[in-house]
Structures are given as structure tokens and as C-alpha cells.
Amino acid sequence: MTVPQGRRSSTFTRLLRHGFTDPSAAERLLESVELAPVRSDPVLLDALGATADPDLALGGLVRLLEAQPAPTARRELLDTLISAKPLRDRLLGVLGASAALADHLARHPGDWHALVNYEPHDLHPGVAEFERQLAEATDPVSLRVAYRRCLLSIAARDVCGTTDVAQAAAELADLATATLRAALRIARVAAPDDAALCRLAVIGMGKCGGHELNYVSDVDVIFVGEAVSGADERKALQAAARLASHMMRICSETTVEGSIWPVDANLRPEGRNGPLVRTLASHLAYYQRWAKTWEFQALLKARPVAGDLDLGEEYIATLSPLVWQAAERENFVADVQKMRRRVVENIPAGEVERELKLGPGGLRDVEFAVQLLQLVHGRSDSSLRSGSTLDALRALAAGGYVGRADAAQLDDAYRFLRSMEHRIQLYRLRRTHLVPEDEGDLRRLGRSLGLRTDPVAALRREWKRHSGVVRRLHEKLFYRPLLDAVAQLAPGEARLSPDAARERLVALGYADPAAALRHLEALASGVTRKAAIQRTLLPVLLGWFADSADPDAGLLNFRKVSDALGKTPWYLRLLRDEGAAAENLARVLSAGRLAPDLLMRAPEAVALLGDGDGGGLEPRSRAHLEQEILAAVGRAENAEQAVTVARGVRRRELFRTAATDIVGSYGTEEIPARPDQGALVDLVGGAVSDLTAATLAGTLRAVVREGWGDTLPTRFAVIGMGRFGGHELGYGSDADVIFVHEPQDGVDEREAAEAANKVVSEMRRLLQIPSTDPPLLIDADLRPEGKSGPLVRTLTSYAAYYRRWSLAWEAHALLRAEPVAGDEDLGRRFVELIDPLRYPAQGLGDDAVREIRRLKARMESERLPRGADKTLHTKLGRGGLSDVEWTVQLLQLRHGRSEPGLRTTRTRAALAAACAAGLISDEDAAILDEAWVLATRVRNAVMLVRGRAGDTFPSDTRELAAVGRYLGYGPGHVGDMLDDYRRTTRRARGVVEELFYGS
């Protein structure tokens, strides 16, 4: 029949509007004889347009009509299609989403009747209903046909939205359960003698066991066999293995009706190398002795699905306790993490971005993270013991183990990604997890998910968004080191009862368990979400505190911080979710007095311990610090307020540096202590020196602005001396400086001098005003003439003094001089002035060398405190800081003019330069460097532990142990620490005797 052009154009346009991509072909199909009775019915076209792929749906419908055995059957189908909306939506929905199920309907044209019923039991069938539908299957072929008929009904409910993705996955798992039972029934009928010899249980694993199966997936199983009463066990197990093998073949082998799915038994003990069927006792022995971590993780989803269900339940009851003990295994979390990384690494490079299941931000990320949390926390919380990912995620959120917002986002993302996976597999009923690349496939996929406006772009956008959510949250949940520590707790310790807590506190080394218990009760009692999170964190924190020398102080300090910040929403969220924040806090709070004291003055600085956007533990650069301090000074109303802000910044940054030092020295569960102790010393010295310089720069700006406005009558510079100039300040060091000025053009020298002296006086006053912030003491005793000389000199005065009166010790002191604040040009010219003094053109004369040696010897005898142990004094003792520094500085004075590398204010850099120049052997340089680093570390440790500076090891046993812990010595090894210190410094003294005194 010829169709008029006008009518053709109208139909063509309507087809385009209804979503057809090939309206010409669709028009031809609509003109087919089979559709003649309904061709003009608008209901049909509207229903086709609502499908994922209208072209595919129309083609499948025509094929189904063609396959009907008689005209009456065809008419029945068409009448039902037009009159019954449930059938129309279901049938066309399936035909538009699955070419494979359209093929099935073409081969079995009567199966469309399975979609007609709309009774309640049809909406959510269970295992019993599926078993009833598979009951008449007597061989592999008929089982496949019946299976596809059931699959047809599941797919119809899925694509129409009658069931959500979780319900569809559960139905697929129930259908798999019924299919395994039917296959085992067929195998038993085929081998009745084998069936009579044994009891055989089939344990569902993986997605089948977890009630979250895909449309096309391997069905993972484990077999358990036992002999019936009176039967020989060996023969019974052989019979059970034959039955199991036959059952697997029934499901897996390809017939004229294709296959169902592979049955995979490789999760069994020893994998494919182990026996297919084991007794329960054999399973138990294997899991007790040989099983790897991932095998316990796999058992999370185990459930009996077929065969002897009593035996299956016995299997679950026997092995379940082992599952919840898996987290106690050494390196448990690391094993799980390593397995996940290995999965990602094995994905072909060209497929990573399309991999929906295994790739970063994919389904496996969610599943691994949830399973890890289950294994860690499910030991003491049975509500978490679910095989379903989404059910377990809900339980984790309800228990406070995962943030509610995070759980909701993960749930949403997981559902979207699983829906994508379902639709991809449904199209051809093929096992794949790769997102297609073809535009037509992407269009059908997007429309099947309800994305009708520009479905390809919308699909890519939504996929990227959900994948990004998973990647971000997976890293946050899966890799947070809190889990490592919780996993190492003894059974029953993930939740603390008051009675159990006291014993545990004593065992962990708490000196005052009663006080510690009061802190715990204050922190963890109650039914609030805050208390729930604290209860989750406390078992972990207690272990970390116990790893320190003073766990009581750690717990007390944690209570103080929590009392101050407990009502702040971000605080507990930070500790629970932000990587190493909780462990970092535990290390800092229990390592000594200094860092907790700094933190208590401004508890919000705890945010620095996270790994998010709070700044982290990386010390800030001098430029960054100066910028912040100078900006704050500019906003302040007066100098006192400005310096108060500057000192606040100094306190915060001292805390940051101390925390970095402590964490780097202790290490964390994931990252070991830094092996390069020298790098830590350099970090602390550089950070504290930069911070001091920035604080002085801000204070100078504040004083000048308040007293003189924008311009001081004289140029003014601050020169760092000693350890300050050498970038080697410790936490409690004073700022050794000298001051230099130069009158502005046209300014009287007396006016300039008065202004300069007033600046120095005011700077010193403001930096020492009593407050909650630590004072910064300015020490100018290294100036010409020492305490007897003027506090500030002009550059001309310095030149005149050094030309006429300079002593050897002053040239020696100037080796560490470096401008740190004020007028940069003046500071540069001061350096040009002193360079000839500290790096003399002809080197150092013999008289000068003898004078320096005499000064050093006198200092050793006169300045060492009475009764001090020479072998343990870090500054003036044998092989200590003074020995190493004077030795290096003598080399600088002698050879600095000829060796440019020696012209540095830094001890270690100068030592390395001397070694490179051949002035000292590699071995001797290494000995001196090791001793200097160790002595500096001890001084830093003493300050961190005691909260005040000291040059020798503490006498208090707990403080001494804390110094040892900082230096890497475990409990009971304080004696080793002292022996190692003496040995290291003794060797250094030997080098000093030779290089400093002997030549």
C-alpha cells in the first residue's frame, strides 16, 4: 500500500518527537501487516516513545508478533497490549532495554503472558515463588527457558520502576538461589546413588550471598559435604563432588538456549587447587590455620542457598566467629587496602576510565570500604553484620561509624552506578562492567535511567559526579588510619564498659586509672551522637596514648580539648573522617607539655592536624608568615594590639612545628617515623627561625607605625646572630640579634639614635608583655663590647669599631650573622662590612687560632654547670653542640675566603662544604654531623617534654622515657638511649680533639 507523502511526513515527524533515531525504518515497521490493527492507535506510539530505545522496542514487538503461532494469538497479544497498561509498560519497557530478552521472546512467543499478571506476589516474588516457576524444569534446556521467563519478569519490574535497583538485585539473587536448587535437584535425580551417600550444602558467596546480584554475573559458591550416617566419608565426599560438579555444569554449560551463568567455586579454601567439597571440620581447620585476610572478607556475604540447609546453617554458625576475629590479624587493614590497590592496578590502562565496577570511584570502592568498616566494628556491634552493601551502609550510619551525609551520598552514588551496571548488562545479557563508547548505546543507557533531555551528555555528567563522590568518600572512609588501630584492639575492646575500662587502663600503663576512667566517663557517657562518636574514637585513642610515655597526660589533654571544642561540629567530624587527624592529635597530646600547652591556649588549632584544607602540618614559609603578620599589624588599632596578634600567630605556628616534629618522630600507623633525623632538625630549626624573623618584622612595623607613621628617621635593620642567624633555633631559644641603623638623609644623628633605641626598647617590651602567648626574648649581648656597649650602632660606628677594636671572638660570632628584619639594603651592606672580618683574606693567624682555642677551653671549664655530667650535656658537654660548632667555625674562619661553600651561617651546610672541599674526611664529617643532630634533637625533646628549655637529659623517669620515645626508643630502653648518646658524642669528641685542638 502506498502512503501519501503528506501523511508520511507527519508520521516521520511524530516518530522523531517520540525518540526514534531511525524514523524511516520505524515507519516501515509500523506499516507491517502484524501491526495493522493498532497502527493508528496513539497509545502504542506514546508507549514506545517512553522506552529506553523506541527503535529497539518496535523491532522487538514486530518480531514477537511474527513469532505468534496463530492469528488469534497475535490478536490476543495486541488487544492486551492496547487495553492493559501494566502489560504495555512492562513488555515494551523490556523490548526497549534488552535485545537479548527480545530474542528470548521471539523464540518463546508465549512467554509474554508472564508479564500480564499484576498481583502483589508478582510485584516482589521471593525464592519460593521462583522455585514454583522452575519446578517443571527437568533438564538444562528447560531450566534455561524457565530461568529466562523469570528473568523477564524481574527485568520488566526493574525497567518500569516497580522495583528499585536494590530490590531488583535481591530478586536476581533469589532467582539464582532457586536456580541452584533446581540444578541440584536435576543432578540428584541423575545420580540417586550419590545423593543417597552424602549431605551437600551450597553456600552462596559474593553478590549472590549478599542479595545484590547483577543480571549477568558469576555465581560464587562454596560446597560443604558430610557423609550420611553409616556411609564412608571418603566415598561420600567423592559423591558430593560429583553432584556439585554436575550442578555447576547444568548452570554453566552452553546449550541451544545458551547458558544461565557460570558457577564459580574458586572462593573455596585453597581456591581451584583445593578439593571442590570439604567437610565442615576441614573448612574450620583451614580458616583457623591458613586462610588469608581476603578470605574472611569474602565470608561476610556467605549464606546457605541450596542443598542441605541445616548443614549450611551449621557452616555459617561455625565460621562466623572467625569472620569477626579477622580484624585482629596482624596487618589486617593493610592487607585489605593492598588487595584493593592490586585490583585497580590490574585493570588494562585503556579500560580504567570506563570500568564501572573495579575502577577508581567504582562500585568496588564502595563495597570494600563498607566491608572494611563492617569487619572492624562488627566485632562488637552485631547490627553491622549484613551481607548487603546498602543495608550495612545504613547500619554504619545509624551507629555513628560513618557520617550521615557521607552515607547518604554513598548510597545515592552506589544505586546510580549499580543501575548503570544493570542496564548495560541487560541489553545483551553479557557479563561486562565497561561503560559503552558507542553514542547509540550511551543514548539508550541514559534514557533507561530517566535522562531524556540530551541523554548522552546527562549520563556522562551524572556518572562523573557520582564516581567523584565515591572516589572522595571511599578514600576518606577506606584509608583513614583510625581503622588500623581499632583493628588491633583485643576482642571486646571496641566498646568500653566502666568495669572493663579500669583493667585495661592499668594494663596500658595508666598511672591513675581512676582519674582516667572519670575522663572516659565524661567523654563517652550519654546517648548523643557526640557520645557515640567519642565511644568509637576512645578505644583507638587509648591505644595511641598508651604508645607514649605519659598516657595519663594524653587522655587528660584530650578531655580538655574536647571540652573546649566538643560542641563545634567540625571537631569530631575532623577526628572521625580526616585521615590521620585523630592519631596526630593523640601523639601531640601525649608527647609532653609544650605542644598541649600551645594548643590549649587556642584549641581551634587542632584543625591543623587534619589532611584537608586546614593547612596541614607543613610549616609555612617565611614570606607567607610575614605576609600574614604584616597584614594583621596593618589592621590593628595600636602597636600593643598588633604585637598581640603577631604573638598569636607565633603561638599557632610553634604548635604546627611541634606537631610536625612529634608526628615525624613518632611516626603513624601508616607512615613510619622519619628515618632522616637531620631533616627533622633542619625543619624545626628553619621553621622556628623563620617564625621568629616574621614576628620581629611585624613587631618592628607596629612600633614604627605607632611612633613615627610610615617613615622612621633612621634606616633600621635587625641582624640575627647565633642559632637564629644559623636557622637553627629551638622551641625555647631566645632571639640573639644585634641592631644597626643609619640616619635618613638630613636627619640629625642624635635624633636618629634616639629613634633607633626607642624602637629596640619598645620591641623588647611588647614581645615580653605577660599574656597567654609565649614571650619572645631578644638577646643583644653579642653586640660589640657586649653588655657594656651601646644597644644600637650606626653602620659607620660598626665599621669603625671592627676596624680598630674587633676581637677574635667577635669575628667568630659574626660567622652566624644574617639580616632577619628591617631595611634590606642596610642589612646587605652590614653583611658586606663584616665579610672581610669573618672570612679574612689571609685566613686565620696562629695567634688568633690559639685565642679561639683558649676561649673554648675556658668556656668548657667555667660555664658547664656544677655537678653536670659532661657526657650528657648537649651544649657544653663532650662531643656536644659547642664542640661541633666551634670545630666547623674554625674551618670557616681559616678557609672561608678561599672556599665559597663555607660562607654560610648554617652548621650542617658548612660541615658538608668543608667535606666537599677536602678539609675534613667523609667519615669525620659524618661523625660530627650525627653528634650535632642528636644533641639538637635531645634539646628539642627536652623542651617538648618539659615545656621549658634544658641542655641535659631530664632526671624524672617519665620525662626521660618521653625523651626516649621521641628519639625512637621503646619502653624499657632508656639505658640504651643514654649509652647511644655517650657513644656518639665520644666519637665526635675524638674528631674535635684532632681537628680543633690538634692542628
Side-chain angles (χ1 to χ4, degrees):
M1 169 178 150
T2 303
V3 180
Q5 185 63 36
R7 181 179 168 190
R8 175 183 175 83
S9 298
S10 174
T11 303
F12 189 92
T13 302
R14 288 175 61 209
L15 290 170
L16 278 175
R17 192 168 62 248
H18 280 84
F20 286 85
T21 57
D22 188 353
S24 298
E27 199 169 8
R28 288 193 297 271
L29 288 173
L30 285 171
E31 295 300 326
S32 63
V33 173
E34 288 77 15
L35 285 177
V38 296
R39 183 179 301 134
S40 59
D41 196 317
V43 169
L44 176 63
L45 201 56
D46 289 343
L48 287 168
T51 66
D53 189 337
D55 302 85
L56 184 66
L58 178 58
L61 178 60
V62 171
R63 288 177 61 207
L64 176 58
L65 289 167
E66 290 173 343
Q68 294 304 310
T72 54
R74 187 179 305 134
R75 187 70 210 185
E76 180 189 6
L77 171 57
L78 287 173
D79 288 347
T80 310
L81 187 71
I82 298 301
S83 62
K85 187 178 187 303
L87 171 71
R88 185 167 64 248
D89 291 344
R90 289 179 172 192
L91 178 59
L92 296 183
V94 167
L95 292 175
S98 177
L101 288 178
D103 292 344
H104 172 83
L105 284 169
R107 290 195 307 273
H108 303 280
D111 278 3
W112 67 268
H113 289 93
L115 305 179
V116 173
N117 294 329
Y118 207 71
E119 299 301 322
H121 68 273
D122 296 309
L123 297 181
H124 302 293
V127 175
E129 178 61 23
F130 287 128
E131 280 194 282
R132 186 185 65 76
Q133 296 179 43
L134 301 178
E136 296 181 6
T138 57
D139 57 62
V141 173
S142 60
L143 181 60
R144 280 154 177 69
V145 174
Y147 173 83
R148 290 289 171 87
R149 189 182 304 120
C150 294
L151 193 65
L152 182 67
S153 65
I154 293 175
R157 290 187 293 275
D158 184 11
V159 298
C160 291
T162 307
T163 56
D164 64 19
V165 65
Q167 292 170 323
E171 289 183 12
L172 289 165
D174 285 343
L175 175 57
T177 298
T179 304
L180 290 170
R181 293 179 182 181
L184 184 57
R185 169 173 51 80
I186 294 171
R188 286 179 176 277
V189 170
D193 292 342
D194 284 346
L197 277 176
C198 64
R199 301 169 64 197
L200 177 63
V202 184
I203 308 299
M205 305 288 287
K207 286 188 167 6
C208 177
H211 267 104
E212 48 190 21
L213 198 61
N214 301 328
Y215 277 100
V216 185
S217 173
D218 291 356
V219 171
D220 296 310
V221 299
I222 286 177
F223 295 104
V224 189
E226 298 286 350
V228 298
S229 180
D232 178 77
E233 184 177 282
R234 183 178 63 83
K235 291 181 179 180
L237 289 178
Q238 291 173 344
R242 288 191 291 270
L243 288 173
S245 296
H246 191 188
M247 186 203 82
M248 293 171 69
R249 291 196 303 275
I250 290 170
C251 296
S252 306
E253 287 181 346
T254 302
T255 69
V256 292
E257 289 291 339
S259 65
I260 302 177
W261 19 247
V263 177
D264 189 341
N266 288 335
L267 291 178
R268 67 185 184 270
E270 300 180 76
R272 64 185 61 193
N273 296 320
L276 184 62
V277 183
R278 289 176 181 258
T279 63
L280 179 54
S282 177
H283 275 284
L284 179 60
Y286 174 83
Y287 282 103
Q288 286 176 330
R289 297 186 60 187
W290 308 112
K292 296 180 175 62
T293 298
W294 69 264
E295 293 177 282
F296 293 104
Q297 185 179 354
L299 286 174
L300 271 174
K301 296 184 177 297
R303 68 180 175 95
V305 292
D308 192 316
L309 296 183
D310 289 338
L311 178 58
E313 293 292 351
E314 191 178 350
Y315 172 91
I316 299 299
T318 301
L319 294 187
S320 182
L322 299 182
V323 174
W324 305 111
Q325 294 169 13
E328 300 162 22
R329 296 165 63 93
E330 188 175 359
N331 299 321
F332 159 70
V333 175
D335 285 349
V336 177
Q337 293 172 337
K338 186 164 60 178
M339 180 181 175
R340 173 66 192 124
R341 287 192 290 268
R342 189 162 58 241
V343 169
V344 175
E345 289 164 1
N346 288 335
I347 303 172
E351 297 180 359
V352 171
E353 295 303 317
R354 296 170 52 216
E355 176 59 67
L356 194 62
K357 177 181 179 182
L358 303 177
L363 292 161
R364 188 57 59 88
D365 275 351
V366 182
E367 292 160 359
F368 262 60
V370 169
Q371 289 165 22
L372 181 58
L373 287 162
Q374 284 182 277
L375 287 169
V376 170
H377 296 294
R379 291 177 294 162
S380 57
D381 190 342
S382 59
S383 69
L384 305 180
R385 300 178 184 181
S386 170
S388 161
T389 300
L390 292 177
D391 288 348
L393 183 57
R394 278 193 295 275
L396 286 165
Y401 306 101
V402 175
R404 289 171 183 156
D406 290 349
Q409 289 186 70
L410 270 183
D411 183 285
D412 189 37
Y414 188 74
R415 288 174 183 273
F416 182 83
L417 296 174
R418 281 303 302 271
S419 295
M420 280 185 70
E421 181 185 44
H422 277 192
R423 299 296 193 273
I424 291 169
Q425 293 184 351
L426 183 59
Y427 177 52
R428 291 289 184 190
L429 286 182
R430 290 177 182 166
R431 186 174 181 268
T432 179
H433 308 287
L434 293 177
V435 177
E437 296 177 295
D438 179 76
E439 287 284 316
D441 290 335
L442 290 171
R443 180 177 184 274
R444 179 181 58 256
L445 180 56
R447 284 174 59 90
S448 75
L449 297 172
L451 306 173
R452 297 306 172 94
T453 303
D454 195 0
V456 175
L459 173 67
R460 286 176 172 148
R461 184 172 58 252
E462 286 297 293
W463 175 31
K464 182 178 181 180
R465 179 174 71 83
H466 286 293
S467 179
V469 166
V470 171
R471 189 178 305 205
R472 175 175 59 84
L473 293 181
H474 155 260
E475 290 170 352
K476 198 159 93 170
L477 298 176
F478 186 83
Y479 290 102
R480 56 185 174 127
L482 288 175
L483 301 180
D484 259 322
V486 174
Q488 291 163 10
L489 295 173
E493 290 182 345
R495 284 289 184 270
L496 290 173
S497 68
D499 292 336
R502 198 180 303 273
E503 288 184 8
R504 181 167 186 260
L505 290 167
V506 173
L508 287 174
Y510 285 80
D512 189 350
L517 190 54
R518 288 195 298 272
H519 300 324
L520 291 177
E521 290 169 349
L523 288 163
S525 60
V527 294
T528 63
R529 184 170 179 79
K530 171 191 169 185
I533 295 173
Q534 294 273 35
R535 285 194 293 270
T536 302
L537 290 170
L538 277 169
V540 188
L541 292 167
L542 285 172
W544 284 327
F545 293 150
D547 191 37
S548 73
D550 195 352
D552 297 83
L555 182 56
L556 172 61
N557 289 331
F558 178 68
R559 180 179 177 184
K560 289 179 179 177
V561 173
S562 294
D563 286 348
L565 296 177
K567 294 182 180 179
T568 309
W570 58 263
Y571 169 62
L572 290 174
R573 190 164 61 242
L574 170 81
L575 297 186
R576 185 190 63 200
D577 297 342
E578 283 295 336
E583 184 175 2
N584 290 344
L585 179 62
R587 300 299 185 199
V588 166
L589 294 180
S590 57
R593 296 178 185 173
L594 178 65
D597 285 350
L598 293 169
L599 179 60
M600 296 309 169
R601 291 165 184 165
E604 65 274 6
V606 75
L608 300 176
L609 300 172
D611 52 12
D613 298 328
L617 293 178
E618 190 66 30
R620 297 185 175 184
S621 68
R622 178 171 166 181
H624 189 125
L625 293 169
E626 277 198 21
Q627 181 183 26
E628 180 183 2
I629 290 175
L630 292 177
V633 167
R635 293 190 297 268
E637 295 180 359
N638 53 56
E640 190 166 318
Q641 186 185 85
V643 175
T644 297
V645 174
R647 289 175 65 181
V649 173
R650 179 170 177 265
R651 182 206 61 245
R652 183 197 70 206
E653 294 304 318
L654 279 174
F655 171 74
R656 190 198 302 268
T657 304
T660 305
D661 190 13
I662 291 166
V663 172
S665 298
Y666 273 64
T668 65
E669 301 290 342
E670 186 173 296
I671 302 173
R674 293 196 188 189
D676 186 352
Q677 304 290 294
L680 269 177
V681 165
D682 291 344
L683 182 147
V684 172
V688 177
S689 299
D690 286 345
L691 178 56
T692 301
T695 305
L696 289 177
T699 304
L700 176 59
R701 173 75 63 85
V703 170
V704 170
R705 192 184 67 164
E706 179 160 285
W708 295 272
D710 294 331
T711 306
L712 190 65
T714 184
R715 298 180 185 89
F716 186 91
V718 183
I719 310 298
M721 301 290 285
R723 302 183 76 80
F724 185 17
H727 298 259
E728 296 161 358
L729 283 182
Y731 298 109
S733 299
D734 296 346
D736 286 324
V737 298
I738 59 177
F739 301 102
V740 58
H741 79 104
E742 184 178 67
Q744 299 281 3
D745 293 341
V747 176
D748 178 72
E749 285 198 12
R750 176 175 294 184
E751 179 188 351
E754 289 177 353
N757 278 283
K758 186 174 181 182
V759 166
V760 172
S761 176
E762 189 65 3
M763 286 179 67
R764 298 177 86 172
R765 184 187 73 82
L766 290 171
L767 288 169
Q768 296 179 53
I769 291 176
S771 77
T772 58
D773 298 315
L776 176 57
L777 302 180
I778 295 177
D779 187 341
D781 290 351
L782 290 176
R783 65 187 183 271
E785 301 179 76
K787 293 181 181 179
S788 302
L791 197 58
V792 188
R793 289 176 182 260
T794 64
L795 185 63
T796 303
S797 175
Y798 275 106
Y801 175 85
Y802 288 136
R803 186 169 57 249
R804 296 183 61 188
W805 308 109
S806 177
L807 301 175
W809 73 264
E810 290 175 308
H812 186 192
L814 288 172
L815 284 168
R816 315 290 290 276
E818 180 176 287
V820 294
D823 190 291
E824 292 183 5
D825 180 67
L826 181 59
R828 178 185 55 76
R829 286 187 285 131
F830 180 85
V831 169
E832 291 174 354
L833 169 68
I834 66 172
D835 272 353
L837 289 171
R838 57 184 180 176
Y839 309 125
Q842 304 304 320
L844 208 59
D846 290 342
D847 290 344
V849 170
R850 281 193 293 272
E851 175 65 13
I852 289 174
R853 288 171 175 168
R854 187 183 64 79
L855 286 172
K856 174 76 168 68
R858 193 178 75 185
M859 187 178 68
E860 288 180 14
S861 63
E862 294 179 1
R863 295 182 59 187
L864 188 71
R866 182 176 297 180
D869 186 343
K870 283 187 177 182
T871 65
L872 294 177
H873 198 279
T874 60
K875 183 176 181 180
L876 302 174
R878 180 192 67 188
L881 295 171
S882 176
D883 270 359
V884 177
E885 289 168 2
W886 282 61
T887 301
V888 172
Q889 288 158 13
L890 183 59
L891 291 172
Q892 289 180 281
L893 287 166
R894 283 179 149 183
H895 306 284
R897 176 55 64 93
S898 60
E899 294 293 340
L902 290 173
R903 298 174 205 164
T904 175
T905 62
R906 306 177 188 223
T907 302
R908 298 189 72 211
L911 181 58
C915 183
L919 302 175
I920 181 173
S921 69
D922 290 348
E923 181 181 0
D924 285 350
I927 289 172
L928 293 181
D929 186 71
E930 181 184 10
W932 188 88
V933 167
L934 178 57
T936 304
R937 291 269 292 156
V938 172
R939 291 184 94 200
N940 286 345
V942 170
M943 184 65 188
L944 286 169
V945 169
R946 303 179 68 191
R948 61 183 188 274
D951 290 320
T952 190
F953 288 88
S955 56
D956 178 83
T957 55
R958 180 158 279 199
E959 290 178 347
L960 187 61
V963 170
R965 185 65 187 85
Y966 170 87
L967 294 175
Y969 294 88
H973 290 276
V974 166
D976 294 337
M977 172 183 67
L978 298 178
D979 288 345
D980 288 347
Y981 182 85
R982 288 188 172 106
R983 181 171 55 253
T984 299
T985 53
R986 183 175 62 246
R987 294 174 66 206
R989 180 66 181 192
V991 175
V992 171
E993 294 281 358
E994 179 182 347
L995 293 179
F996 186 81
Y997 290 109
S999 58

